[in-house]
Amino acid sequence: EKGGFDSFMEKEIHDQPDAVGQTLLGRSDVDGNLILDELRIDETILRSVDKIVVLACGTSAYAGQVAKYAIEHWCRIPTEVELSHEFRYRDPIVNEKTLVVAISQSGETMDTLMAVRYAREQGAKVVAICNTNGSTIPRESDAVLYTHAGPEIAVASTKAFLAQITAAYLLGLYLAQLRGNKYRDEIADVLADLSTIPAKIQAVLDDADKIKQLGADMANAKSVLFLGRHVGFPVAMEGALKLKELAYIHAEGFAAGELKHGPIALIEEGQPVVVVMPSPSARDSLHAKVVSNVQEIRARGAVTIVIAEAGDTTVEAYSEHVFYVPETPTLLAPLLTTVPLQIFALALASAKGYDVDQPRNLAKSVTVE
Ligand code: M6R
């Protein structure tokens, strides 16, 4: 049942081309129009939405943070992402014009379920993005967009994360289509780019030996920092969460721009720092800014492990270790850059001899608040 792999987690990492492919399947036509029949919410309501609130916990919340960049860009609807367990305790502004997107792999996370109930009481419509058919959160929502990642057994979420990002992107594109704004024209292009993602993930998986080895070599690390910017920021936090969960070491994700506002004080000789490098084609010279972050931390002794876009050889001069992922538009990059971080955490935890499928103290579904 582990498909020849040593763990469910490893199998699920390798399921990811399929998880994304299946989630895209049958949801658009040949002309690049989205068809989301399952979204049974009145179109006039969807057109009048003036705010989106994404509610989720853990990895699912990071998927929401990635989606925010894309949804705001395509739909021009203000989008907030909030941890489900914080949401209803702060008198949030939520009403009939709010669309809540509840993201949950299991569909049973109590924190998210309670937040969904609260949002609906305030009149909001709720769309669930969920991987588990017929689970509680979809049943209590107004509509559900299922991720078709297949059952996820390992406690650490991997393929569900990529499928959640994919589904949230489809939702964002659908809203853009419905609302007919100026980004409408981009939809067909983005769908075409999305359709190339499964093969690109496969290429990352086929090229994973080096990052696996590095993970194993770093089994004695006491702490690993992760830096990213734009969509790379939630990816950095997700990479750090994987390492905490699986390898039980201190790991933290930062926005690279925040470095000089505090975290750089943590850098000392030998500190490993994983950097999710923006594409050289990213807007607003983000790439150059992160390269200069890498130079700053290296000058203070950091060992840098850089995830970069293929062809971006400029980073080699500034990094101890570079891993390339195929070229892709910035908004889709998390579907690729996350994968080496998952493999890194898996390899590091395996080298320590830990049970990667059942890490200590954790449950697959958190059904208590
Ligand atoms: O089933 P859910 O997506 O609602 O679960 C949310 C979190 O509990 C979950 O993502 C958790 O953070 C994972 N163990 C992360 O790997």
Side-chain angles (χ1 to χ4, degrees):
E1 46 184 7
K2 293 179 189 160
F5 294 100
D6 290 342
S7 61
F8 281 109
M9 186 185 173
E10 190 179 6
K11 173 188 177 285
E12 289 160 8
I13 288 172
H14 283 82
D15 283 345
Q16 292 184 115
D18 237 28
V20 171
Q22 291 296 326
T23 299
L24 291 171
L25 200 70
R27 284 173 163 164
S28 59
D29 66 17
V30 283
D31 300 322
N33 296 301
L34 270 302
I35 312 163
L36 295 186
D37 291 338
E38 57 261 73
L39 219 68
R40 291 194 192 90
I41 296 178
D42 192 327
E43 290 193 0
T44 36
I45 294 179
L46 291 177
R47 280 200 195 91
S48 68
V49 161
D50 66 5
K51 181 166 85 165
I52 295 175
V53 178
V54 181
L55 298 174
C57 303
T59 290
S60 300
Y62 297 139
Q65 290 197 23
V66 169
K68 171 188 159 93
Y69 290 85
I71 294 175
E72 287 196 335
H73 173 68
W74 294 325
C75 307
R76 311 311 294 155
I77 306 172
T79 303
E80 295 168 12
V81 185
E82 185 145 10
L83 295 168
S84 316
H85 37 84
E86 286 294 316
F87 178 66
R88 69 194 174 103
Y89 298 101
R90 64 165 182 91
D91 197 12
I93 300 166
V94 42
N95 55 43
E96 294 76 14
K97 287 190 173 253
T98 311
L99 180 67
V100 165
V101 180
I103 307 182
S104 176
Q105 188 286 131
S106 62
E108 300 297 346
T109 298
M110 186 57 79
D111 291 313
T112 303
L113 176 62
M114 297 310 278
V116 163
R117 286 185 182 157
Y118 177 87
R120 293 191 77 202
E121 278 163 23
Q122 312 302 308
K125 293 285 181 216
V126 178
V127 181
I129 291 180
C130 184
N131 198 44
T132 312
N133 270 331
S135 54
T136 312
I137 291 169
R139 279 195 277 113
E140 293 209 16
S141 298
D142 296 283
V144 53
L145 201 54
Y146 280 109
T147 46
H148 296 146
E152 193 180 65
I153 310 291
V155 166
S157 187
T158 54
K159 62 178 179 175
F161 179 66
L162 297 200
Q164 287 163 344
I165 294 172
T166 306
Y169 277 21
L170 292 176
L171 177 63
L173 292 169
Y174 180 76
L175 292 174
Q177 172 176 296
L178 205 66
R179 296 162 69 101
N181 67 29
K182 66 180 174 133
Y183 292 96
R184 172 78 182 75
D185 293 347
E186 276 186 37
I187 297 173
D189 293 344
V190 180
L191 282 172
D193 290 330
L194 273 170
S195 72
T196 68
I197 291 291
K200 291 179 180 176
I201 299 172
Q202 190 58 52
V204 176
L205 295 171
D206 292 343
D207 193 27
D209 287 350
K210 251 181 28 171
I211 188 97
K212 251 189 226 167
Q213 188 57 50
L214 183 71
D217 292 347
M218 293 191 59
N220 292 324
K222 294 268 172 300
S223 148
V224 180
L225 305 181
F226 291 74
L227 296 180
R229 204 162 168 149
H230 192 266
V231 286
F233 172 34
V235 169
M237 293 191 286
E238 168 61 6
L241 178 61
K242 290 288 90 91
L243 210 51
K244 288 177 213 172
E245 283 188 290
L246 297 169
Y248 318 146
I249 61 178
H250 170 252
E252 215 173 323
F254 298 105
E258 193 64 8
L259 205 58
K260 57 184 170 302
H261 301 287
I264 198 164
L266 289 169
I267 306 294
E268 56 185 13
E269 196 59 38
Q271 171 68 52
V273 183
V274 177
V275 182
V276 184
M277 185 62 71
S279 158
S281 65
R283 294 163 48 166
D284 306 323
S285 50
L286 281 188
H287 178 270
K289 287 173 181 161
V290 179
V291 166
S292 97
N293 291 142
V294 172
Q295 287 170 310
E296 283 157 11
I297 57 176
R298 271 188 100 224
R300 291 163 177 78
V303 175
T304 55
I305 300 154
V306 179
I307 312 298
E309 187 176 84
D312 178 8
T313 48
T314 56
V315 295
E316 278 173 23
Y318 310 116
S319 331
E320 274 67 41
H321 309 276
V322 183
F323 301 95
Y324 292 105
V325 298
E327 213 179 309
T328 210
T330 292
L331 286 173
L332 306 191
L335 297 169
L336 305 180
T337 52
T338 304
V339 179
L341 307 188
Q342 298 167 338
I343 296 170
F344 178 72
L346 172 69
L348 201 153
S350 304
K352 293 178 89 167
Y354 294 153
D355 180 344
V356 294
D357 286 337
Q358 294 282 349
R360 70 184 182 200
N361 307 342
L362 295 173
K364 183 62 182 162
S365 300
V366 183
T367 53
V368 290
E369 259 192 291

